[in-house]
Amino acid sequence: MQSLRLRAVIALAVVLLGLAFMLPSLPGVKDSSLGKILPGKGVSLGLDLKGGIHLTLGVDMKTAMDNSLARLGDDLKASAREQEVYILRPNVLDENQIEVTLIKAEQKDTFESVIKDSTPFAIEESTPLEGDKVKYVLSVSPKYRSEIEKLTMEQAIKTIRNRIDQFGVAEPDIRKQQDNRIQVQLPGLQDPERAIKIIGQTAHLEFKMVDDSADLKKAQQGILAPGRELSSLLHRQANGSYAESPIVLKKDAVLTGEYVSDAQVRLDQWNTPYVSLTFNARGGKIFTDLTGENVNKRMAIVLDGKVYSAPVIRERISGGSASITGNFTREEARDLAVVLRAGSLPAPVTILEQRSVGPSLGQESIDNGVMSAMVGMALVLAFMVIYYGFSGMVADIVLILNIMLIMGGLAAFGATLTLPGIAGIILTIGMAVDANVIIYERIREELRRGLSASQSVSEGYGRATLTILDANVTTVIAAIILYQFGTGPVRGFAVTLTLGIITSMFTAIFVSRILFDLYLKNRSDKAKLSI
Amino acid sequence: MGLQIIKPDTNIDFVGIRKIAFIISAILILCGLGSLLIKGGPKYGIDFAGGMIVQVRIDKATDAAAVKDAVNEVNLPGLVVQSIGLEGDHEYLIRTSSSDITSEEVRAKINNALTDNLGASFEIQRLEMVGPKVGADLRSQALEALFYAVLLIAVYISGRFEQRWTAAAVMAAALGGCVYGLGLLDLDMGWLILAALFITVGLCWYLKLNYALGAVAALIHDVLITVGLFSIMGKEFDLTIIAALLTLVGYSLNDTIIVFDRIRENTIAKQGKMPFGQIINLSVNQTLSRTIMTSGTTLLVVFCLYVMGGSVIHDFALALLIGITVGTYSSIFVASPILYGFGPSELPKTEED
């Protein structure tokens, strides 16, 4: 049995610590002079209480992989060319393979050594074709694939973070989840649709030459010259919607968004906004050469597969800037500039889950939650005093301490309080008295057996402690599993429940015992105990 | 001494009336299962089924049918409108099942339809969209969570109560193996869990882990009844309901374990002096006062949550209300009689702790 004084000091220290972390959560304290000395910033509120947006984005890993394979294929073609080995344009197959055709069979050995040396490809099969050609099917190793997946996820998260930063959201939370998913939480944001548009846009910008000699009718029937593709040119209508007309482009992009260093909204002489792009040094040089070589031809500006404009190049354009016009509204132009500045996503993303809560509902939820907690707590407090008398008051004191410690604990661990979290606290209020009740009923039994007050208290605590531990461990198990499997709000609930159980054991077993010991300390053994 | 709800010398013959309790439980479970069968399984909310919900509050008295009429013309697939919260809140959930229209379109459509047809101001308070893939993932995660909770708890009880950690470990290993094997069969998650639960009960029985058997059986009993009642009331299952179910698992066990603890203590103290049935009766009676007090205070606060907690948390509180009531009932009338039915397990030679 430790000394009473030591236990009291420990209890007081814990309570003060909890109080220090809890106080900043109260309105008014955080910004006061007291709030400045206290640690932490108080409990942060979840999206369901603050209002805001929760998104789960799925990254289209297949497209990312196909793009990456296509790029590797191009690299392979280039390396082969350096050895004067010629292959046809590589084709990306399903199952992470590419197909290349070697034109001259006698170069087989050289080509195979090129494959070995310069790329992560391994040869799956090679089939001689008629004539002198050999068809190869190449595949990349699983290790390389997972490397690509990792890079893609990292880049996607970085890009999304960039965009959100430019969009200006306080405390955004962006994190990777399993299965190539990204979770984005934007507290306090009012305009979910616009945010989704900005986050979700791939913003893959390409400049491609227009093939004006192509026959549009044939192209629409699917007859295209090699290296050409059919795309659609957007025309903005007076009512704001877009009409599309077919256009044939050369497949290879002459320049891409990677070379863009800045994008800004500007106004032309008719006050129509457009997006002005600035290239980096290398991009500027490519653009200057390109425009010089292609005077009087049309160049298409392609964003995510749609042609926004296809102006005729009148002269060589130096200075490293270009513009995208498209009769945008000012907001559209601004959002487009944001996504172009932040860079393109390495793969398209789809919105798998979206939850947006208006701020008014959030406030209402807090009010309702706090209100029902107060009423519930008042009822329990009153009931305990009526039922157990003085001991009921001890139980009430530790119950209030308990709530305080939960709030302090949430703040200290940086946990987020959600609506189910509030429910967890409310449930804890109900269950927290359980430990007291178990102890008190035991003490009553011992008193009935004729033991003195202090003996009964000692016996009661001793016998009840293990029971309480047993009972609570199972609840903690349930809570831990909730945390492990749950997402968002369910996790918040699990955290508060676990914290509530730990603090309620501390207050009910440790703190309340101190109070009883203090009460009984200077009394005779025959003292009556109000319980 | 303060008030007493239960007199100290109360001696209700709980073991004697176990048949009546079993009949009541069986009826409740069968009704629930029947309802689930008739309705083709639980009614999943968008968390699990996918789809979109929009919560609106309307500034005048109206009803779900009027809101539905107002929204009907914009042709949202699988449109369902329901009133939520308490009367006087005028809050409605508009639900649509489509996955190929964007949330932007749905928001705009509902906005237009309500502005044109309702003649009252309103506010879109919440919009949630869950894709079908995420919904399916969440569903299997939730079921897995329920299952692992039961499994770990069974292992804990066997070890803790009967000092038979080896048997508990054997059970854990066997179960792990079975679940892995069943996983290879590529069964639906629901069946997988049902199978795993049967294996748990079977293993508890085979290894004579009677305390765990009683506790797990009581637990399955509580979850089945709560799920059944939810189905009968036509409530939807979403993530918060799963949270409520897991809480109830914790709560119900909490209750059961406190009674079992007493049974264990009394078995050791009165071995040979009293038949097992009487020991159980004595223990349940001794803890009755505590059981009623704790359930009472918990129900009191959960009831406050139910009445005042607001629309979003309403069903969660309802699940807890049902769960805590059923959990309290089961720890008195189900868990202990099951323990009686199988007799006391072998006791540890010495009282440890």
Side-chain angles (χ1 to χ4, degrees):
Chain A
M1 181 81 145
Q2 309 119 307
S3 87
L4 183 56
R5 183 174 296 169
L6 178 68
R7 284 186 290 143
V9 169
I10 294 174
L12 207 63
V14 173
V15 170
L16 285 178
L17 196 67
L19 202 63
F21 278 103
M22 192 270 297
L23 279 177
S25 310
L26 298 179
V29 176
K30 195 170 169 180
D31 303 315
S32 69
S33 52
L34 179 66
K36 291 201 179 77
I37 359 170
L38 292 174
K41 298 190 202 90
V43 179
S44 52
L45 297 178
L47 289 184
D48 51 352
L49 295 177
K50 207 183 321 190
I53 306 170
H54 167 110
L55 294 174
T56 308
L57 305 169
V59 178
D60 179 359
M61 214 38 96
K62 184 167 185 322
T63 306
M65 199 59 76
D66 286 353
N67 288 343
S68 167
L69 286 174
R71 214 163 30 240
L72 282 174
D74 289 342
D75 290 349
L76 178 68
K77 195 179 166 192
S79 326
R81 198 138 138 208
E82 280 169 25
Q83 308 283 323
E84 302 198 334
V85 175
Y86 295 95
I87 56 175
L88 296 180
R89 171 190 274 275
N91 261 333
V92 177
L93 306 176
D94 281 346
E95 311 296 326
N96 303 309
Q97 291 173 326
I98 66 167
E99 181 188 78
V100 291
T101 308
L102 180 67
I103 296 169
K104 289 179 187 155
E106 70 258 26
Q107 291 182 320
K108 225 176 148 183
D109 292 342
T110 334
F111 181 57
E112 282 172 14
S113 74
V114 168
I115 294 174
K116 227 180 198 166
D117 292 346
S118 56
T119 61
F121 284 117
I123 299 171
E124 283 287 309
E125 56 178 79
S126 63
T127 4
L129 298 179
E130 34 183 297
D132 207 9
K133 292 176 182 161
V134 186
K135 192 177 86 180
Y136 283 90
V137 173
L138 309 176
S139 66
V140 288
S141 67
K143 187 170 161 254
Y144 189 81
R145 284 207 298 272
S146 63
E147 186 73 8
I148 295 280
E149 283 184 12
K150 204 175 137 223
L151 282 175
T152 306
M153 287 302 284
E154 277 168 12
Q155 202 193 329
I157 289 174
K158 202 176 123 203
T159 308
I160 290 172
R161 183 163 291 137
N162 273 337
R163 290 181 186 178
I164 291 170
D165 285 348
Q166 302 208 12
F167 194 54
V169 177
E171 302 176 56
D173 179 32
I174 303 149
R175 63 180 66 180
K176 183 177 181 286
Q177 286 188 318
Q178 60 201 24
D179 295 338
N180 301 323
R181 288 175 190 172
I182 299 172
Q183 176 192 300
V184 179
Q185 297 203 322
L186 308 171
L189 202 67
Q190 305 288 330
D191 190 351
E193 304 305 340
R194 194 169 156 218
I196 288 165
K197 233 175 171 172
I198 287 187
I199 293 168
Q201 190 170 4
T202 309
H204 186 51
L205 180 71
E206 294 165 304
F207 294 84
K208 290 180 174 179
M209 299 311 297
V210 179
D211 182 3
D212 277 321
S213 63
D215 186 331
L216 277 179
K217 279 229 173 80
K218 277 189 177 168
Q220 278 173 310
Q221 288 160 7
I223 306 164
L224 280 165
R228 300 290 186 277
E229 66 182 359
L230 183 66
S231 188
S232 33
L233 175 63
L234 300 177
H235 306 273
R236 196 177 175 96
Q237 311 293 97
N239 65 5
S241 65
Y242 285 98
E244 297 180 4
S245 62
I247 186 169
V248 173
L249 306 177
K250 292 187 182 168
K251 236 180 188 167
D252 289 317
V254 287
L255 196 59
T256 65
E258 285 167 52
Y259 297 104
V260 172
S261 64
D262 194 16
Q264 294 292 337
V265 180
R266 303 237 189 283
L267 297 175
D268 65 12
Q269 64 261 47
W270 298 285
N271 248 358
T272 312
Y274 68 93
V275 178
S276 150
L277 301 173
T278 312
F279 294 109
N280 60 21
R282 210 180 116 103
K285 187 177 175 309
I286 298 175
F287 193 66
T288 310
D289 292 349
L290 193 71
T291 48
E293 285 162 20
N294 290 294
V295 173
N296 288 330
K297 289 183 186 160
R298 286 210 288 165
M299 185 170 71
I301 297 169
V302 190
L303 185 68
D304 292 339
K306 299 273 183 191
V307 182
Y308 275 74
S309 55
V312 177
I313 300 168
R314 298 281 174 216
E315 56 188 357
R316 181 169 172 270
I317 306 170
S318 55
S321 69
S323 57
I324 308 175
T325 55
N327 290 319
F328 302 115
T329 66
R330 205 166 289 201
E331 192 175 78
E332 278 172 338
R334 195 167 55 227
D335 292 350
L336 183 59
V338 164
V339 294
L340 289 175
R341 259 203 311 272
S344 67
L345 287 174
V349 295
T350 43
I351 294 166
L352 300 176
E353 186 187 357
Q354 176 201 342
R355 295 171 196 270
S356 49
V357 175
S360 69
L361 182 64
Q363 189 55 48
E364 203 182 296
S365 301
I366 297 181
D367 293 346
N368 287 333
V370 171
M371 188 62 191
S372 47
M374 298 285 239
V375 174
M377 189 150 157
L379 288 174
V380 171
L381 292 181
F383 183 70
M384 290 300 278
V385 175
I386 295 170
Y387 197 79
Y388 287 117
F390 164 79
S391 306
M393 264 157 62
V394 173
D396 286 355
I397 293 170
V398 298
L399 180 58
I400 293 168
L401 278 182
N402 187 19
I403 304 291
M404 231 183 62
L405 286 179
I406 294 178
M407 298 298 285
L410 283 177
F413 294 127
T416 309
L417 186 63
T418 57
L419 195 56
I422 291 185
I425 294 178
I426 295 173
L427 187 68
T428 316
I429 298 174
M431 286 174 70
V433 300
D434 184 47
N436 286 108
V437 171
I438 294 173
I439 296 166
Y440 291 178
E441 292 298 320
R442 271 293 184 166
I443 295 178
R444 280 184 171 187
E445 277 179 46
E446 304 303 330
L447 285 173
R448 275 198 295 272
R449 277 175 46 199
L451 295 184
S452 74
S454 62
Q455 278 174 320
S456 299
V457 166
S458 166
E459 275 290 294
Y461 273 92
R463 286 180 177 266
T465 304
L466 265 174
T467 309
I468 295 169
L469 263 176
D470 270 341
N472 284 332
V473 167
T474 50
T475 313
V476 172
I477 290 177
I480 288 171
I481 286 165
L482 263 183
Y483 186 82
Q484 193 57 40
F485 288 88
T487 48
V490 178
R491 282 195 157 190
F493 178 72
V495 170
T496 43
L497 192 62
T498 312
L499 208 57
I501 289 163
I502 294 167
T503 56
S504 78
M505 286 205 285
F506 172 76
T507 52
I509 299 175
F510 190 73
V511 180
S512 76
R513 179 75 196 269
I514 295 171
L515 295 176
F516 271 108
D517 285 353
L518 281 174
Y519 175 77
L520 292 170
K521 196 176 160 200
N522 299 318
R523 278 159 218 262
S524 72
D525 253 9
K526 294 188 185 79
K528 287 246 174 190
L529 184 62
S530 165
I531 191 165
Chain B
M1 225 172 266
L3 293 175
Q4 283 177 346
I5 295 177
I6 303 293
K7 293 220 159 42
D9 53 355
T10 306
N11 191 7
I12 304 169
D13 184 11
F14 290 106
V15 172
I17 55 173
R18 66 182 187 281
K19 289 208 172 107
I20 302 170
F22 286 156
I23 290 170
I24 295 174
S25 295
I27 291 173
L28 280 174
I29 292 174
L30 286 178
C31 286
L33 289 180
S35 158
L36 281 172
L37 275 179
I38 291 165
K39 294 180 180 173
K43 186 168 152 196
Y44 290 124
I46 64 154
D47 284 343
F48 298 143
M52 226 178 275
I53 53 165
V54 180
Q55 181 176 336
V56 290
R57 172 177 353 197
I58 294 162
D59 283 349
K60 73 166 197 196
T62 175
D63 60 14
V67 176
K68 182 162 183 172
D69 284 344
V71 187
N72 228 344
E73 65 174 38
V74 290
N75 270 332
L76 293 167
L79 178 75
V80 177
V81 176
Q82 74 189 91
S83 166
I84 54 164
L86 295 171
E87 261 179 59
D89 286 347
H90 313 312
E91 287 178 353
Y92 300 90
L93 276 189
I94 301 170
R95 182 174 162 172
T96 136
S97 58
S98 172
S99 52
D100 42 310
I101 39 178
T102 67
S103 55
E104 186 181 9
E105 284 166 355
V106 169
R107 193 185 281 266
K109 277 182 172 181
I110 288 175
N111 235 325
N112 292 340
L114 290 180
T115 315
D116 292 349
N117 303 331
L118 212 60
S121 60
F122 63 91
E123 183 193 1
I124 293 186
Q125 296 183 301
R126 181 163 68 109
L127 183 146
E128 298 191 357
M129 185 280 285
V130 179
K133 178 81 176 70
V134 173
D137 283 3
L138 287 175
R139 195 164 62 216
S140 63
Q141 270 176 15
L143 285 170
E144 244 179 293
L146 267 175
F147 165 69
Y148 281 107
V150 174
L151 169 62
L152 278 181
I153 286 163
V155 171
Y156 175 77
I157 296 175
S158 314
R160 183 70 192 78
F161 272 76
E162 309 178 87
Q163 303 299 325
R164 291 172 62 195
W165 291 104
T166 331
V170 168
M171 183 170 79
L175 251 177
C178 290
V179 171
Y180 179 76
L182 286 168
L184 295 180
L185 293 178
D186 203 24
L187 285 172
D188 180 65
M189 197 67 199
W191 289 111
L192 197 66
I193 278 156
L194 205 64
L197 284 179
F198 273 116
I199 297 170
T200 313
V201 172
L203 278 171
C204 285
W205 179 75
Y206 181 74
L207 294 168
K208 298 208 166 30
L209 296 169
N210 294 340
Y211 283 97
L213 182 65
V216 171
L219 224 149
I220 296 172
H221 166 270
D222 297 349
V223 172
L224 278 181
I225 289 183
T226 310
V227 168
L229 283 176
F230 256 60
S231 168
I232 290 169
M233 288 186 290
K235 296 281 179 194
E236 283 178 1
F237 284 85
D238 55 21
L239 276 176
T240 42
I241 301 299
I242 297 295
L245 280 179
L246 275 164
T247 315
L248 124 77
V249 164
Y251 186 89
S252 155
L253 267 164
N254 193 312
D255 248 20
T256 307
I257 282 176
I258 285 161
V259 180
F260 277 11
D261 229 32
R262 232 353 141 73
I263 295 177
R264 186 177 59 144
E265 186 187 320
N266 287 334
T267 315
I268 293 163
K270 301 189 195 297
Q271 210 163 11
K273 294 177 208 154
M274 209 186 244
F276 193 52
Q278 266 187 46
I279 291 179
I280 289 181
N281 266 341
L282 176 73
S283 311
V284 177
N285 278 302
Q286 278 175 338
T287 47
L288 194 57
S289 166
R290 172 266 155 198
T291 308
I292 290 173
M293 276 291 293
T294 302
S295 299
T297 51
T298 311
L299 281 176
L300 204 62
V301 281
V302 175
F303 188 72
C304 289
L305 197 65
Y306 176 74
V307 177
M308 290 180 287
S311 56
V312 183
I313 215 144
H314 200 257
D315 284 353
F316 176 81
L318 182 65
L320 285 179
L321 271 182
I322 298 172
I324 290 168
T325 315
V326 179
T328 309
Y329 162 84
S330 77
S331 60
I332 299 175
F333 293 99
V334 179
S336 310
I338 286 181
L339 191 57
Y340 174 73
F342 288 94
S345 56
E346 284 163 48
L347 288 163
K349 293 274 180 300
T350 52
E351 186 181 6
E352 291 187 27
D353 322 316

